[in-house]
Amino acid sequence: MRFTIRIFLLLAVTVGYAQREYQSYSNDNGIHTIRVSDGVYKIRFFSNEAVETEFIANGSVSENSLAVVDKSVFQSIKAQELRDKIDFSSGLIRVVVTYKPFSIAYYKSGQLIATELAASRTNKETSVKLSVNADESLLGGGSRVLGMNRRGNKLRLYNKAHYGYETRSELMNYCIPMYLSSEVYGVHFDNTWVGDLDLDSGKQNVVTYSAEGGPVRYQIFAGRTWKDLVKTYTTLTGRQPLPPRYTLGNFSSRFGYHSQKEAEKTIAAFKKEGIPVDAIIFDLYWFGTTIKETMGNLDVWRDSFPKFEKMISKFSKQGIKTILITEPFILKSSSKWNEAVAEGILAKDSLSQPAVYDFYFGTTGLIDLDKPKAKEWFWNVYDKFIKKGVAGWWGDLGEPEVHPKWVRHESGLAHQVHNVYGHKWAELLATKYAENYPNTRPFILMRSGYSGSQRFGMIPWSGDVNRTWGGLKAQPEIALQMGLQGLGFMHSDLGGFAGANLDDELYVRWLQYGVFQPIFRPHAQEEVASEPVFRSENAKKLARKAILERYALLPYNYSLAFENNQNGTPLMRPLFFEEPTNKSLFVNADGYLWGNDFLVVPVTDAKLTEKTVYFSKTARWVDYYDATKIYEGGKYVSVKTAEDHIPVFVRSGAVIPTCNDLNAGSASMKELTLSYYYNENYPTVATVYFDDGTTTNAFEKGNYELLRITKDTGSETLNIKSEKGTAFKAVKRKITLKIIHAPKTLTAIEVNGKLVKNNSKSADAAPSFSFEITSGQEIKINLKK
């Protein structure tokens, strides 16, 4: 029946496409060329999980990809030329090209997943139509608030800020031209131009991609699991470098710090209140005293920051990094305008003059990041401050926020460049850091990007969200969707950004959610403080607790960042990672997995006393804050909420590593607590990653240590094996093993044959055992004592 529906659609939708005539086929070292009456198809397999199809119309040429970096050509393809078709099979993916009527069909594990219904390129438009099954959910299209299943929406592909959004936002800062299916495959349309992605809004089981220009090229990729799928996509488009470890600490940030005195006062307040902080971010007041007319100065406003360099040094000695905002706009009123014009670094108008136009901040020009001279000029601005000790960069307004269609860049028109402007900006920073500071991991916070921006170390955030419960409610969906699309560090301005809404309950709930999402960065307009040190005593107390929890989880969180770096696996994961055939889990984002072992359920409504939680059927779940509460998987349960935390649960059998370090950047993690949620019926697999937190490609250079912790189902032996890289200096770590739900008879364990007694001071507490492990050592722990 499904195949019959597909054939009907093929006949009904493809006016003109059916007239395309097959002419010939050739194979040039894995590039499969199919000549048709109006052009050429190029089909290549990257692997047995990914294939690319490009249609090059007569009179047009192929164009380089700004998204795909994988140059692999998978040669192990079975290509059969038959009487009426060519059949390509890679194992997981099969492509069938039928001669008459011409068609291309895609299969995954023998199941039809898509048929190309149309593919064309004219002087006015590029277009591709693909069939989809009637019952599959569709995700993707970048950062939006539409519900997890975005099928039925027509998505504009034009990066644009949405100030003050809440529970619905159809167009935001990251428009990724791709969709992912609940049948565990994805399609990426490899084209930068402004356009639309129609996810079957006409309810005809058709996805339509259209753009104002650019190539007809798309990649179809598939996986047996969701982890496999994201791994394949990030193999195509690149993976996130491991960020500097301080990235996982607490940030002090607001719009903005007006002076050196104000910034130093803020950091002093953190110290006084005993709230750890790893970095401070300076908004636009570092280069001027007003919001308008100063953008583009790109130099310290000395009246407000008289001893800027001394301030940076002082913060650095306290373990606090300094991060500065920059924008790509040079205002005519700025001190750099004349220089920018003279150097020819700005985008142009139709008369080859600097493109000048008005927006909120003033009359402006835009740096043309396609010009080598402009990139050097912009980099020199950054380099000047890196030499002064600035550790990271915030790239704001990079959609670009205002970008008239008539503006011309060196590589093309505004609508060709627009969606990749932030992508190219991040590439500039990443490339120049690699050239000039090869041993430094850059911190690159950006508001806009494109497919593959993660490979430049981009840390995306969800824009100017409203400081309301609706704003908070939108955040898990955005982060989960973007993680699936390769950008695993998507996060929000904790507490909300827009509006002067003083709501301590909202603020605290947002920070509690922040413990279990990629970046802990409260930030807001200054009318209501974003920093916990300036909130009410109760809010401050609860915020402190959340932040200390965040720091305690540093070993776990850093290991998630490492997993993302190695495999592309998102830090935040939808519950359908556990149950891919459970259709109800594709509807909303009420709960999610933080890594493999935490189930997190944010509180997104005021004065909520109970929250309905779905516990994945793949495990038994233990309340993280009250281990006496255990929940069987596969059930919806109403759980009571508490003021000082959101509902969080741990997978039975998991090992959760924590530490007592209070500065993420300098953390040694030489004292670790391993909380083992004992369950003889569940296996244990955990990995804890260590390096110095700063060295680029530390794992590849052998400058790392991995603790691999395993226990087989039914076994009473817990194995801890330290794997030391060749360049890693051996360390000795003190381990405290806490066994949650240990057998009541357990009073001692054997560590490599040596008896270690329980050192818990309370009979009601979980048994606790202390021992040491040295890098490269393997330890076997007998739990049956």
Side-chain angles (χ1 to χ4, degrees):
M1 178 63 181
R2 177 179 289 174
F3 184 73
T4 302
I5 292 172
R6 294 293 179 90
I7 292 297
F8 171 77
L9 282 169
L10 183 62
L11 295 174
V13 176
T14 58
V15 178
Y17 185 74
Q19 307 306 315
R20 184 167 287 165
E21 296 181 358
Y22 169 82
Q23 294 182 341
S24 65
Y25 162 71
S26 63
N27 178 3
D28 183 12
N29 294 319
I31 306 299
H32 304 275
T33 301
I34 298 165
R35 184 163 294 281
V36 293
S37 52
D38 57 340
V40 171
Y41 277 92
K42 300 280 188 180
I43 297 175
R44 76 156 166 165
F45 285 79
F46 297 95
S47 64
N48 62 2
E49 299 95 6
V51 62
E52 176 179 274
T53 299
E54 180 174 15
F55 173 66
I56 306 169
N58 289 336
S60 64
V61 296
S62 183
E63 300 174 23
N64 291 332
S65 174
L66 295 183
V68 175
V69 293
D70 188 0
K71 304 301 181 185
S72 303
V73 178
F74 192 58
Q75 300 282 4
S76 301
I77 298 296
K78 295 179 181 178
Q80 292 182 289
E81 289 187 75
L82 305 174
R83 180 179 57 83
D84 59 344
K85 63 187 176 183
I86 308 172
D87 193 321
F88 303 98
S89 179
S90 69
L92 186 63
I93 292 179
R94 178 181 167 219
V95 181
V96 178
V97 178
T98 302
Y99 301 155
K100 190 173 184 178
F102 185 83
S103 69
I104 305 177
Y106 300 90
Y107 298 80
K108 174 196 167 188
S109 299
Q111 177 69 53
L112 182 66
I113 57 173
T115 300
E116 185 186 274
L117 306 176
S120 63
R121 181 176 184 179
T122 68
N123 291 333
K124 294 183 177 180
E125 185 182 62
T126 292
S127 179
V128 179
K129 292 179 184 287
L130 297 173
S131 65
V132 291
N133 292 330
D135 56 352
E136 61 187 302
S137 299
L138 301 178
L139 303 91
S143 178
R144 305 172 196 262
V145 189
L146 300 169
M148 288 296 286
N149 183 5
R150 294 174 172 179
R151 186 168 186 161
N153 290 280
K154 184 175 182 179
L155 310 179
R156 184 67 172 153
L157 299 173
Y158 182 86
N159 290 350
K160 187 175 179 59
H162 183 173
Y163 177 84
Y165 71 90
E166 294 187 1
T167 55
R168 186 168 181 85
S169 183
E170 297 180 4
L171 185 61
M172 294 178 68
N173 315 69
Y174 289 82
C175 295
I176 310 295
M178 68 181 291
Y179 66 90
L180 301 163
S181 166
S182 55
E183 295 185 4
V184 200
Y185 74 89
V187 180
H188 174 256
F189 298 97
D190 193 0
N191 187 328
T192 68
W193 280 75
V194 169
D196 295 281
L197 180 60
D198 188 332
L199 299 179
D200 194 30
S201 66
K203 301 187 185 306
Q204 294 191 12
N205 301 329
V206 176
V207 168
T208 301
Y209 169 79
S210 59
E212 295 177 12
V216 181
R217 182 172 57 225
Y218 56 92
Q219 295 86 29
I220 291 182
F221 51 98
R224 292 180 174 83
T225 68
W226 278 93
K227 280 188 177 181
D228 290 344
L229 185 70
V230 180
K231 183 176 183 178
T232 298
Y233 172 69
T234 54
T235 299
L236 289 175
T237 60
R239 299 218 171 95
Q240 183 98 21
L242 196 59
R245 196 172 52 219
Y246 74 81
T247 301
L248 299 177
N250 176 34
F251 287 76
S252 178
S253 183
R254 74 163 78 149
F255 179 28
Y257 299 113
H258 291 260
S259 67
Q260 178 177 337
K261 182 178 180 181
E262 189 175 37
E264 290 176 341
K265 177 184 176 183
T266 300
I267 293 302
F270 273 98
K271 298 297 182 182
K272 179 181 177 182
E273 296 292 345
I275 299 178
V277 61
D278 263 74
I280 182 169
I281 301 180
F282 289 87
D283 212 314
L284 48 71
Y285 296 117
W286 75 269
F287 53 70
T289 58
T290 60
I291 294 175
K292 296 183 178 183
E293 307 300 338
T294 61
M295 192 172 289
N297 283 344
L298 295 173
D299 210 346
V300 178
W301 195 261
R302 292 290 175 178
D303 288 351
S304 303
F305 296 88
K307 298 180 180 179
F308 183 76
E309 293 81 4
K310 186 175 180 180
M311 178 191 72
I312 293 175
S313 177
K314 178 181 177 181
F315 288 159
S316 180
K317 289 174 182 176
Q318 298 177 72
I320 298 167
K321 309 297 184 184
T322 297
I323 296 163
L324 301 182
I325 193 172
T326 56
E327 298 90 357
F329 296 96
I330 308 295
L331 269 58
K332 289 188 73 174
S333 55
S334 74
S335 62
K336 292 286 194 296
W337 174 256
N338 290 336
E339 179 183 341
V341 172
E343 294 291 335
I345 68 166
L346 302 176
K348 303 292 187 180
D349 62 18
S350 60
L351 301 175
S352 297
Q353 296 300 309
V356 179
Y357 50 90
D358 295 330
F359 78 140
Y360 174 79
F361 298 94
T363 301
T364 192
L366 177 68
I367 298 174
D368 186 351
L369 293 177
D370 291 326
K371 294 181 178 180
K373 189 174 184 179
K375 290 192 286 189
E376 284 299 320
W377 184 91
F378 209 10
W379 168 250
N380 287 336
V381 171
Y382 290 112
D383 197 34
K384 171 183 173 181
F385 288 99
I386 294 169
K387 288 180 168 62
K388 292 178 184 290
V390 172
W393 299 99
W394 169 12
D396 201 10
L397 314 186
E399 295 79 25
E401 182 164 292
V402 178
H403 196 197
K405 190 174 182 178
W406 51 263
V407 172
R408 300 187 178 194
H409 295 260
E410 188 152 297
S411 68
L413 298 172
H415 277 204
Q416 181 179 357
V417 173
H418 182 83
N419 287 334
V420 287
Y421 191 90
H423 181 83
K424 292 181 176 182
W425 190 4
E427 181 183 26
L428 165 65
L429 284 168
T431 302
K432 290 297 187 180
Y433 261 95
E435 291 174 1
N436 295 277
Y437 303 96
N439 294 317
T440 299
R441 301 180 195 174
F443 176 86
I444 304 171
L445 178 68
M446 288 274 175
R447 198 173 80 172
S448 188
Y450 177 66
S451 314
S453 289
Q454 69 274 358
R455 68 178 180 264
F456 304 129
M458 182 184 286
I459 305 291
W461 94 98
S462 61
D464 296 341
V465 58
N466 223 15
R467 198 176 342 204
T468 59
W469 290 98
L472 170 57
K473 199 180 295 286
Q475 298 314 308
E477 176 193 339
I478 293 172
L480 290 168
Q481 289 271 358
M482 291 293 280
L484 293 171
Q485 298 170 76
L487 287 148
F489 284 83
M490 172 57 84
H491 68 288
S492 65
D493 292 338
L494 298 183
F497 175 80
N501 181 21
L502 177 56
D503 185 334
D504 279 346
E505 183 190 7
L506 169 66
Y507 176 77
V508 167
R509 290 304 193 197
W510 213 316
L511 266 61
Q512 290 168 347
Y513 158 68
V515 174
F516 303 95
Q517 52 90 65
I519 305 293
F520 198 98
R521 187 184 57 83
H523 179 73
Q525 292 173 332
E526 62 184 329
E527 291 83 359
V528 175
S530 57
E531 305 93 341
V533 293
F534 300 129
R535 303 294 292 231
S536 69
E537 287 302 317
N538 190 53
K540 189 192 308 178
K541 178 187 72 174
L542 295 170
R544 181 190 294 110
K545 181 178 186 296
I547 292 167
L548 290 175
E549 284 180 14
R550 173 75 178 188
Y551 275 86
L553 285 169
L554 180 62
Y556 183 87
N557 294 346
Y558 197 51
S559 300
L560 294 187
F562 172 70
E563 184 181 7
N564 174 260
N565 164 249
Q566 292 294 299
N567 300 313
T569 313
L571 288 77
M572 289 175 64
R573 304 164 192 178
L575 291 180
F576 56 72
F577 266 50
E578 297 282 296
E579 299 181 43
T581 61
N582 186 338
K583 295 183 183 300
S584 68
L585 299 181
F586 289 88
V587 176
N588 59 54
D590 285 349
Y592 63 89
L593 298 171
W594 178 236
N596 187 66
D597 294 326
F598 281 108
L599 169 60
V600 180
V601 186
V603 174
T604 58
D605 293 287
K607 304 186 186 309
L608 198 70
T609 58
E610 292 187 346
K611 182 84 175 179
T612 299
V613 177
Y614 177 70
F615 292 95
S616 172
K617 67 181 181 181
T618 54
R620 176 183 290 175
W621 299 91
V622 181
D623 191 311
Y624 185 51
Y625 299 99
D626 183 355
T628 64
K629 297 176 181 178
I630 304 172
Y631 301 89
E632 296 298 325
K635 297 178 180 180
Y636 286 91
V637 179
S638 181
V639 301
K640 294 187 181 299
T641 62
E643 182 187 38
D644 65 346
H645 64 268
I646 59 175
V648 179
F649 309 89
V650 179
R651 184 188 303 272
S652 189
V655 173
I656 304 297
T658 55
C659 68
N660 55 13
D661 296 274
L662 294 179
N663 184 273
S666 63
S668 69
M669 291 184 276
K670 289 183 178 179
E671 294 185 9
L672 285 182
T673 296
L674 302 178
S675 295
Y676 170 45
Y677 288 77
Y678 178 90
N679 190 321
E680 61 183 354
N681 297 317
Y682 285 90
T684 294
V685 178
T687 301
V688 190
Y689 175 80
F690 308 94
D691 63 23
D692 63 9
T694 61
T695 299
T696 56
N697 301 314
F699 180 73
E700 290 73 15
K701 293 173 180 176
N703 190 7
Y704 71 92
E705 181 182 8
L706 282 167
L707 289 186
R708 301 189 187 276
I709 307 167
T710 58
K711 186 182 81 68
D712 295 333
T713 302
S715 171
E716 292 297 337
T717 300
L718 188 70
N719 300 292
I720 305 177
K721 183 177 181 180
S722 168
E723 174 188 311
K724 184 180 84 69
T726 55
F728 188 80
K729 186 177 180 180
V731 297
K732 184 177 290 186
R733 301 185 195 277
K734 180 182 178 181
I735 305 294
T736 298
L737 177 66
K738 288 186 176 181
I739 305 180
I740 317 297
H741 300 149
K744 292 183 179 179
T745 57
L746 185 67
T747 59
I749 61 173
E750 277 186 357
V751 178
N752 281 353
K754 181 181 178 181
L755 194 68
V756 178
K757 294 184 178 180
N758 175 22
N759 57 21
S760 292
K761 295 181 180 179
S762 168
D764 296 328
S768 178
F769 308 93
S770 297
F771 52 90
E772 293 181 339
I773 185 169
T774 301
S775 302
Q777 185 181 7
E778 184 173 359
I779 286 178
K780 293 186 179 298
I781 301 171
N782 186 346
L783 302 172
K784 197 170 184 179
K785 282 292 169 183

